[in-house]
Amino acid sequence: MENEHIQMVDLHRQYLRLKPEVDAAMQEVIDTCSFINGPQVKAFASHLADYLQVPHVIPCGNGTDALQIALMALNLMPGDEVIVPSFTYVAAAEVVALLGLIPVWVDVDERTFNLNPWQIESAISPKTRAIIVVHLFGQCGDMERIMQIAEQNHLYVIEDNAQSLGAEVIYQDGSRRKAGTIGHIGTTSFFPSKPLACYGDGGAVMTSDDRLAERARMIANHGQQTKYHHKIIGCNSRLDTLQAAVLEVKLPHIDAFAEARRKVAVRYDEALRDDARWAIPFRADYSTHVFHQYTLQIAGGERDDLQQYLKERGIPSMVYYPVPMHKQDAFYGLARNGSSLYVSEQLTRSVLSLPIHTEMTDKEIDYVTQTLLAYGK
Ligand SMILES: Cc1ncc(COP(=O)(O)O)c(C=O)c1O
């Protein structure tokens, strides 16, 4: 079988499929020159709020800004502690430290890669104010349990939904809610590879709390409601109109995009599940999965060899993430370990994410799985 120039995420093929609509939407922005705060920004925020069934969506510059704005909206004080998973992307922990707050590392569940609720409680101290739940790789954390812990301990919950926009938490009574809308405040990124992606940087904050929404909106706009009257310290973080126009075109497709990636995941699962050399992604019963990543755990210390073997055969793969947060130099002296971090360390040595995107063909998937199955044979 031929290698078809497989990519981790094939942005170009998706663009070609949506080209007439995307081109027209972008051209309209250029024709009207409404590059900042054009009508598309408001329209997109309102449509995303409808989709998520949340009263407030505040667009901003990117997912890292969204986290910063969310933390600032909560009015946490320097020295306050915020629980963050150690196995994750840096953004959440970075903004915690940037604001003079203290990241408290908690381990993740070895099957879901998400914050382990059983480890949260022992990490809580009198200074703890908030928990950041990062819904990693397309699957939600155990929100029902985490919200109980947060309520019992009077903690805020921030949901970093950058990798899982569209995923749903499934409650024990069978009801469902969209990730990002369950905690006090949620954040997301529209980075080009994300589940809902623009053609540059973009992000948003979402909340059901009117007061937090008002603060977040002000913070993203230099702390002002009325021009040149600054009530609080803020920043400048805006979603470009051009990006909002792209997102308006893509939003109606968000569930179809997730379904396309789920189909890839199912085909991967079927081919790979019976091989003891790796574990396929686990599906928690409390969440749907939008498969931002399809991440194997490779047994026996073979991960790096296997990655090289795939590369030589034209198959890209990625290690998300090679170093846990508690071992990053940047946080030295600024954070505290809240639990054993054994699983986070172990995962950084075993995880390998395979190509997955909305345009992947069966032929491409089969080339990946057949190559993997032939490894070492
Ligand atoms: C989980 C998570 N949070 C936050 C971010 C930051 O988003 P951005 O790159 O838009 O700042 C990312 C993105 O890369 C992410 O994966």
Side-chain angles (χ1 to χ4, degrees):
M1 187 170 301
E2 293 288 304
N3 161 27
E4 306 260 316
H5 302 291
I6 297 170
Q7 306 213 14
M8 283 300 287
V9 180
D10 199 324
L11 299 178
H12 190 63
R13 263 197 271 168
Q14 193 193 66
Y15 165 63
L16 291 180
R17 190 152 58 90
L18 301 172
K19 185 173 174 3
E21 287 173 85
V22 168
D23 288 2
M26 292 183 86
Q27 193 59 51
E28 194 186 331
V29 177
I30 295 165
D31 287 342
T32 56
C33 289
S34 52
F35 299 115
I36 303 291
N37 288 335
Q40 291 85 346
V41 178
K42 223 176 189 174
F44 168 67
S46 147
H47 293 144
L48 182 59
D50 291 346
Y51 172 77
L52 293 172
Q53 295 190 298
V54 70
H56 306 284
V57 167
I58 299 117
C60 65
N62 57 64
T64 310
D65 280 4
L67 281 156
Q68 181 178 330
I69 293 163
L71 284 168
M72 288 170 77
L74 293 172
N75 208 14
L76 305 181
M77 293 294 143
D80 286 348
E81 292 185 348
V82 181
I83 288 171
V84 190
S86 182
F87 181 72
T88 191
Y89 184 66
V90 70
E94 184 177 41
V95 296
V96 169
L98 194 67
L99 295 172
L101 310 168
I102 300 173
V104 176
W105 312 122
V106 166
D107 215 353
V108 295
D109 181 285
E110 62 192 344
R111 295 180 307 173
T112 65
F113 314 119
N114 276 319
L115 207 50
N116 185 337
W118 306 107
Q119 309 256 34
I120 292 176
E121 274 181 299
S122 55
I124 296 169
S125 85
K127 287 185 174 174
T128 311
R129 295 284 174 271
I131 305 169
I132 301 184
V133 181
V134 183
H135 301 304
L136 208 67
F137 298 161
Q139 186 166 232
C140 305
D142 186 352
M143 285 305 288
E144 198 163 4
R145 179 81 193 105
I146 291 171
M147 289 309 289
Q148 279 168 0
I149 296 169
E151 273 161 34
Q152 281 157 10
N153 294 279
H154 310 290
L155 305 178
Y156 289 118
V157 174
I158 300 140
E159 295 178 76
D160 178 352
N161 198 21
Q163 300 190 7
S164 299
L165 196 73
E168 288 180 327
V169 169
I170 305 170
Y171 288 84
Q172 279 174 29
D173 67 5
S175 62
R176 292 171 176 226
R177 277 175 74 180
K178 288 268 189 316
T181 68
I182 298 154
H184 298 87
I185 195 159
T187 65
T188 200
S189 163
F190 306 121
F191 183 83
S193 62
K194 294 289 190 261
L196 181 64
C198 60
Y199 289 172
D201 278 313
V205 173
M206 58 219 66
T207 183
S208 303
D209 184 315
D210 297 345
R211 190 187 56 88
L212 284 178
E214 191 188 342
R215 275 183 66 82
R217 222 175 275 285
M218 269 201 284
I219 290 164
N221 185 25
H222 296 294
Q224 64 189 349
Q225 268 169 331
T226 313
K227 209 167 169 66
Y228 305 129
H229 295 264
H230 307 276
K231 281 195 175 171
I232 51 176
I233 296 295
C235 57
N236 173 27
S237 187
R238 294 185 286 240
L239 180 68
D240 286 354
T241 313
L242 274 168
Q243 302 307 342
V246 174
L247 291 164
E248 268 284 84
V249 170
K250 286 197 179 187
L251 180 59
H253 300 277
I254 184 172
D255 289 336
F257 289 159
E259 192 48 39
R261 288 191 304 270
R262 261 194 295 270
K263 275 194 181 146
V264 177
V266 167
R267 198 168 177 97
Y268 272 148
D269 280 355
E270 280 163 3
L272 300 175
R273 71 159 44 94
D274 293 331
D275 199 311
R277 293 176 294 173
W278 44 70
I280 62 171
F282 177 79
R283 267 87 150 169
D285 55 10
Y286 50 76
S287 175
T288 63
H289 205 318
V290 297
F291 283 99
H292 175 58
Q293 301 297 344
Y294 184 94
T295 304
L296 296 174
Q297 291 185 57
I298 313 296
E302 298 268 308
R303 194 265 313 274
D304 295 349
D305 283 349
L306 181 58
Q307 185 172 33
Q308 183 57 28
Y309 161 88
L310 291 173
K311 189 175 170 200
E312 284 161 10
R313 285 152 187 82
I315 299 173
S317 60
M318 291 293 289
V319 175
Y320 302 117
Y321 296 95
V323 183
M325 289 304 119
H326 67 279
K327 294 221 160 155
Q328 299 281 358
D329 292 346
F331 296 105
Y332 186 77
L334 299 178
R336 137 175 119 70
N337 291 354
S339 74
S340 148
L341 298 162
Y342 172 79
V343 174
S344 295
E345 288 184 19
Q346 203 271 330
L347 289 177
T348 57
R349 291 190 288 268
S350 64
V351 287
L352 192 65
S353 297
L354 300 181
I356 189 162
H357 54 80
T358 56
E359 314 303 307
M360 212 165 165
T361 62
D362 287 353
K363 198 172 158 195
E364 289 173 323
I365 301 165
D366 294 347
Y367 177 67
V368 174
T369 56
Q370 283 162 22
T371 308
L372 268 167
L373 292 166
Y375 174 65
K377 294 198 173 147

